[in-house]
Structure formats: structure tokens, C-alpha cells
Amino acid sequence: MTTANLAKSFRVGLVQMCSGRDVARNLRDAAALIREAASGGAGYVQTPEVTNLMELDRERLFAVAEPESANAGLRQLADLAKELSIWLHVGSMVIKASDAKLANRAYLISPKGEVTARYDKIHMFDVDLPNGEVYRESANYEPGTKAVVADLPWGGIGFSICYDLRFPYLYRALAHAGASFLAVPAAFTRLTGEAHWVTLLRARAIEAQCFVFAAAQGGLHEHGRETFGHSLVVSPWGQVLAEGGVHPSVIFADVDLAMIADVRSRVPSLRHDRKFDVVHADGKAAEVAS
């Protein structure tokens, strides 16, 4: 066990952005806010979903998206993490996975500037909203197939991205796999964010008995989409420890590691999970999504 593992707390910095169509500008904005987070004492810094590019048009997306192996933005962020000696969690980047599909991919970068974990968003946001907005994430992005828990000096962190938030079994599985912290970088729409964002994040924290770190996009973006913002840090007891507004900013929270064991001892629900079958009243087996 390292000295860092013996720490009783650490500071989280969540970067809230309003990313647009200009990748270089988005990366400059992200870098400035990451520096602000580091100067404020954050050892772990998280940026929101699609940090490098907020775009819906397929032609524009594929014109500027780069593969991971040649991604200048990822190299810049890795160099910045090394310079600042922080754990940098890039909430996600638009990555060219093939000629036909992109990946909505998160990266965890160590203070040595090394990528230690990757996660591709599993659940695709395909929806027709009441206000007339239409989203077909699956038209451009290849969904991930693996949930990921990675090691931080203070404990395991489970990955997710935005729409994943609506699938509670993912977070329960991450907690059982050793996560003490759950990451939910996002670009929630204003409409759904106003209705559900805080409630869902608190619920995931309570259910999984983990800290939740959720850096968000916020504001009116160049392509016309409006996102909710309100980046959040939530405790395993469901308390909101820090909350952002709508505009680009950094929010901070000090994470008391003792709270995880305390909450899990007071309500030991993670130890009480049981396997069961779901059946119809007539005795026939029901189909249940896993």
C-alpha cells in the first residue's frame, strides 16, 4: 500500500464546459479549467462528456474526428496531466473508431501522463423528445460492451457516461466489482436535466453506496442543443456535496474516504444481494434485460 492509499481524503475538481464545434478551442478551454482545478488542490480532475467536440451532424463529426492512435488532443491532455501531476479523467472524447463509426470514449490519465483506463459508452441515446428534438446516437457511435473499474490511489472508480445513468444495474455491478467512486460525465439536455439529473445521481450514489462525480456540459451549444450543467459531487449517503451552475466553471469537493465504509456498515445492502427469477403470475418465465 502506497502513502497515497493511506490518505483519509482527497479533493475532486469537476470541470464544467460548453463545448462547441472547434476542437482546438474546446481543448484550450478544457486546459484552462483543468489548470484551475489543479491550482485549487484537486488531485482528481474530471471533464464532461464530449470534451473535445459537441456536434450532431455526421459529416462534420467524421471530418474532424481523429483515431486514438493519432489524436493530438489526447496527447495534449496527457501532457497536461503529467505537467500538473494530477489524475485526469477525460469524461469522454469523440474518437474515430472506423470509417463508419465513432466511439464516445473516456480516458483516465495518471500523473505520469499515461492512459491507465478506457471506457466506451455502453447505452446509446436514441430518442424523439416532446419538444421536437431528435437524437440518434447509435447512428454515429459504436456502443461499448465492457463495464470498467479502474484504480485510483484512493480506491476503485467505475466508469459511465451520460445516458448510462438511467441503467441502475450498471452501477450496482461496478460497486460489486470494487468501485468506491462512480464517474458520470455527461451532456444532459436541459429538459431531461431539470426533471431527472439530480434525482438520478443521488439515487445511484445511494444504491451503490459510492461517491458520484458528474462533470457536465452546460449552456447553449453552437449546433443549437442546450445542456443542463449543474455538475455534481454526491456522497454515498446521497448528500450533494458540491453543485455547479450553468456556465463553464470548476467545482470542488473534499472526499472523506471513511464515509464509504461507514455508509456500507449502516446499510449493508451490497452484502444482501440475492439471485432470483422473475416469473409471470401464470408461472411462465419472464424475459429480463441484463
Side-chain angles (χ1 to χ4, degrees):
M1 182 176 289
T2 67
T3 301
N5 291 123
L6 298 175
K8 295 181 180 179
S9 66
F10 68 101
R11 175 161 285 192
V12 170
L14 300 186
V15 168
Q16 185 162 295
M17 298 178 63
C18 186
S19 296
R21 289 171 162 162
D22 186 329
V23 173
R25 184 179 65 199
N26 294 335
L27 290 171
R28 287 195 299 271
D29 291 346
L33 291 166
I34 291 166
R35 289 183 182 278
E36 181 180 336
S39 67
Y44 166 88
V45 179
Q46 183 189 115
T47 68
E49 182 183 23
V50 290
T51 292
N52 65 329
L53 176 64
M54 179 70 89
E55 180 58 80
L56 299 177
D57 180 80
R58 180 179 175 85
E59 186 175 341
R60 287 174 179 265
L61 275 169
F62 278 84
V64 298
E66 297 177 320
E68 181 179 312
S69 60
N71 198 289
L74 180 58
R75 290 197 300 272
Q76 291 173 30
L77 292 170
D79 289 344
L80 183 60
K82 183 176 181 179
E83 176 194 337
L84 299 174
S85 192
I86 58 171
W87 285 91
L88 177 57
H89 184 162
V90 184
S92 84
M93 299 181 72
V94 177
I95 299 293
K96 190 173 183 180
S98 70
D99 289 339
K101 290 287 186 178
L102 306 168
N104 191 341
R105 183 171 296 165
Y107 294 93
L108 183 64
I109 304 170
S110 77
K112 294 181 179 180
E114 299 169 347
V115 174
T116 63
R118 297 166 177 81
Y119 168 74
D120 287 358
K121 185 178 182 179
I122 293 173
H123 300 95
M124 298 287 97
F125 187 50
D126 291 355
V127 67
D128 299 295
L129 294 175
N131 64 359
E133 293 179 274
V134 176
Y135 299 101
R136 292 289 182 270
E137 195 170 17
S138 63
N140 296 321
Y141 292 90
E142 186 70 29
T145 59
K146 295 180 180 179
V148 175
V149 177
D151 291 329
L152 291 172
W154 313 280
I157 185 164
F159 286 65
S160 69
I161 298 172
C162 199
Y163 190 50
D164 287 332
L165 179 59
R166 294 187 180 275
F167 300 86
Y169 49 78
L170 170 62
Y171 299 91
R172 193 76 169 184
L174 291 169
H176 280 299
S180 296
F181 320 110
L182 301 171
V184 196
F188 251 58
T189 66
R190 182 183 61 80
L191 180 67
T192 56
E194 288 176 348
H196 300 146
W197 174 245
V198 175
T199 300
L200 287 172
L201 288 169
R202 293 187 65 204
R204 298 298 88 88
I206 294 166
E207 293 162 352
Q209 300 182 318
C210 293
F211 283 94
V212 168
F213 309 142
Q217 295 280 354
L220 182 62
H221 302 268
E222 285 179 281
H223 59 55
R225 181 178 176 182
E226 188 175 4
T227 51
F228 184 59
H230 292 269
S231 300
L232 284 180
V233 178
V234 186
S235 81
W237 196 246
Q239 301 159 304
V240 174
L241 302 181
E243 181 173 357
V246 177
H247 303 293
S249 61
V250 179
I251 68 167
F252 296 94
D254 293 316
V255 173
D256 180 0
L257 298 176
M259 184 176 289
I260 301 165
D262 177 62
V263 168
R264 293 181 179 184
S265 65
R266 291 162 67 186
V267 184
S269 60
L270 287 174
R271 300 203 304 267
H272 295 160
D273 274 322
R274 293 173 57 87
K275 292 183 179 180
F276 55 87
D277 295 322
V278 179
V279 298
H280 290 291
D282 59 11
K284 295 179 181 179
E287 293 186 8
V288 180
S290 60

